Amino acid sequence: MSERKIIDARGTYCPGPLMELIAGIKQIEVGDELEVLSTDEGSANDIPEWVNKVGHELVGTTQEGDVWHVVVRKAK
């Protein structure tokens, strides 16, 4: 059964949220998801680009107030 973990990177700036995602994805199983919370708008672009480059799956990106929620599923 897949799980979703949250990385709270609010208040950090690029590339901080991406680096936290990279570290976090190494610790989860294939099929599990990570949700990155970021107040850095650049994360909404940087994280999807990295996900496409390395072959994971972008589940979705949403904005609630000044917080971006970027959900990534580990694909390999």
Side-chain angles (χ1 to χ4, degrees):
M1 182 172 185
S2 64
E3 295 183 23
R4 179 180 288 184
K5 296 182 179 179
I6 294 177
I7 295 174
D8 188 350
R10 292 177 288 185
T12 64
Y13 297 96
C14 194
L18 176 60
M19 299 308 289
E20 291 191 41
L21 171 63
I22 292 170
I25 210 155
K26 293 177 182 175
Q27 300 174 10
I28 64 173
E29 301 294 325
V30 172
D32 288 349
E33 297 176 349
L34 286 177
E35 180 175 355
V36 180
L37 307 181
S38 177
T39 50
D40 182 1
E41 187 174 351
S43 298
N45 295 319
D46 295 345
I47 291 175
E49 286 180 20
W50 178 80
V51 167
N52 287 332
K53 181 178 177 181
V54 300
H56 294 300
E57 180 182 347
L58 180 67
V59 176
T61 302
T62 58
Q63 182 180 13
E64 293 180 16
D66 62 348
V67 179
W68 290 90
H69 298 254
V70 184
V71 180
V72 176
R73 182 176 299 125
K74 185 172 182 173
K76 56 182 181 177

